[in-house]
Amino acid sequence: ARQDLEQALHAYSHLSKHGRHMQEVIHDLVQTARKFPRYAQVWKALGDALTKVGNHEYAVKAYEQFRHLTQ
């Protein structure tokens, strides 16, 4: 399961980097964050995707959660 999650996060990061399918990426990452709330990399990927679409308010919250989990 962890390996599948890592592969999915890699794919989402690639899509985010290129600005592709952003609505679906964000939706999936929000669902993944709900399912795995203690997995820091999900929050980072969500922050990156939200930043890409200009949703800075929620991106900051996602990055804060990432930082909290990695301290």
Side-chain angles (χ1 to χ4, degrees):
R2 183 179 173 124
Q3 185 177 11
D4 291 342
L5 182 55
E6 290 288 334
Q7 289 175 346
L9 289 174
H10 179 74
Y12 289 135
S13 292
H14 178 78
L15 290 170
S16 290
K17 180 179 177 181
H18 297 286
R20 297 170 65 193
H21 307 288
M22 295 308 296
Q23 294 293 80
E24 294 90 348
V25 167
I26 291 169
H27 177 267
D28 288 354
L29 287 170
V30 167
Q31 296 303 315
T32 303
R34 288 181 180 150
K35 191 172 183 180
F36 302 98
R38 297 202 177 275
Y39 197 77
Q41 293 304 318
V42 172
W43 293 101
K44 174 151 183 347
L46 179 56
D48 292 347
L50 290 166
T51 297
K52 186 71 172 184
V53 298
N55 192 335
H56 301 292
E57 179 182 351
Y58 287 105
V60 167
K61 292 178 182 188
Y63 287 134
E64 286 172 352
Q65 186 64 18
F66 169 73
R67 189 175 66 237
H68 171 74
L69 291 170
T70 57
Q71 289 181 346

